[in-house]
Amino acid sequence: MKKEGEKWRYVGDGIYERTKMNVLVAICAAIYAATLIPFKGFVLIPGVTEIRPAAALPVLFGLLFGPAGAWGVAIGNFIADLAGGTFGINCIFSFWGNFALAYIPYRFYFGIKGKEYQNNKISGKLEIIVYLGILLISSAFCGVLVAYGQVMFKILPFYMMFFIILINDTVVPAIVGIPLYNILQTRFIKWRLDWISIMQIEEKNNRIKRSAKLVMIICGVIGASVWGIVSEYLDVTYELKVMLGGIFIIFTIILCLSSDIKIEKS
């Protein structure tokens, strides 16, 4: 039971506090699914993954719509798998992998710049480097989640799935992500449809604490990625391979979901 006046919290960021955020989840899911489904025929690994021009959308939705964009991307990918003939056990892991594609970028940008990050366009060498670095981390974590799912069910080796996803989800947004964000960012802020305006947030932790958390997230993603690749070439048991990878993943997820955000009372 929630007390009178208390607001719902979910994934650390109170997504269910605003009707607009729920609507944005549905819109993001519909757009993402609609752009994924037509390319389901361009298969890279049958029943697992395909060429994805829609890979430009998760980072865009995450930066603009925060947690609503992350949930929308995850649900949209699930719908596309269901409608496009790639539905299977791997959908569980691709759901959360796609969630990470949108969730990691907005959490990193908020962690680095605070709630003012959406007032600035991505321009200049340093900001472009930061964008590409965050994009690489989010794609790597998506690859880790999906690839370890393949390892758990002994479908594909880790490195094969990991590198396909890393490339697939990095190249397109690296090329078109920045101009798309810069074009749409001004308009959505003007219309007050960005997640920061809707949620009326305050920063809960200072920049040093937020940055320390981001460094630990990066270490978790790198640790899971390196162990997944190296363990394929070491004489280790299946149980050890999955267990140690799972520890890195759980460590990273806990850090990702611990909130740096406080919702203003309304």
Side-chain angles (χ1 to χ4, degrees):
M1 294 292 292
K2 72 184 182 81
K3 299 176 183 178
E4 185 177 354
E6 185 181 347
K7 296 175 184 269
W8 290 111
R9 294 287 185 272
Y10 200 70
V11 192
D13 296 333
I15 184 174
Y16 293 117
E17 291 187 4
R18 302 289 186 270
T19 302
K20 283 183 181 179
M21 294 292 277
N22 295 328
V23 173
L24 286 173
V25 171
I27 291 173
C28 290
I31 294 173
Y32 194 49
T35 51
L36 283 173
I37 292 171
F39 293 93
K40 283 292 182 179
F42 297 88
V43 177
L44 293 175
I45 299 178
V48 179
T49 191
E50 64 284 332
I51 295 174
R52 296 166 71 95
L57 296 179
V59 63
L60 182 66
F61 288 165
L63 292 178
L64 290 173
F65 308 130
W71 282 113
V73 166
I75 295 168
N77 186 79
F78 185 83
I79 293 170
D81 284 341
L82 193 62
T86 53
F87 186 77
I89 191 66
N90 59 290
C91 291
I92 299 172
F93 303 98
S94 63
F95 178 94
W96 294 110
N98 277 265
F99 180 89
L101 279 177
Y103 192 80
I104 293 286
Y106 104 82
R107 288 307 300 268
F108 265 70
Y109 265 94
F110 185 86
I112 294 169
K113 294 190 174 184
K115 67 179 183 179
E116 299 301 322
Y117 86 79
Q118 284 191 321
N119 294 326
N120 301 309
K121 294 184 178 180
I122 300 173
S123 59
K125 292 182 180 179
L126 181 59
E127 290 189 357
I128 291 173
I129 291 171
V130 169
Y131 169 83
L132 294 175
I134 293 172
L135 179 61
L136 195 61
I137 291 296
S138 63
S139 299
F141 195 40
C142 175
V144 162
L145 292 171
V146 177
Y148 270 111
Q150 302 294 309
V151 171
M152 282 179 63
F153 290 96
K154 301 180 180 179
I155 300 172
L156 289 171
F158 179 91
Y159 65 85
M160 181 182 295
M161 197 72 229
F162 175 77
F163 283 114
I164 287 175
I165 291 174
L166 184 65
I167 295 169
N168 218 9
D169 289 330
T170 300
V171 173
V172 175
I175 296 171
V176 303
I178 293 175
L180 274 177
Y181 176 75
N182 287 341
I183 291 169
L184 295 175
Q185 170 251 13
T186 305
R187 290 167 174 78
F188 279 102
I189 290 178
K190 183 179 179 180
W191 298 332
R192 296 188 63 81
L193 288 175
D194 61 291
W195 76 278
I196 291 177
S197 298
I198 294 170
M199 299 297 290
Q200 302 176 34
I201 66 167
E202 295 178 354
E203 298 168 20
K204 191 169 71 174
N205 296 322
N206 62 40
R207 184 170 296 181
I208 294 176
K209 289 182 179 179
R210 297 199 306 265
S211 299
K213 189 184 297 183
L214 298 184
V215 170
M216 289 190 287
I217 290 172
I218 293 171
C219 290
V221 173
I222 292 175
S225 305
V226 171
W227 171 248
I229 296 167
V230 170
S231 64
E232 295 288 343
Y233 301 96
L234 297 177
D235 185 21
V236 296
T237 64
Y238 164 82
E239 290 77 12
L240 179 60
K241 183 186 299 185
V242 173
M243 183 182 69
L244 192 52
I247 290 172
F248 279 117
I249 290 172
I250 292 170
F251 170 78
T252 306
I253 290 173
I254 290 172
L255 289 169
C256 286
L257 300 187
S258 59
S259 181
D260 292 317
I261 296 167
K262 181 171 67 176
I263 311 298
E264 293 180 357
K265 299 294 182 181
S266 58

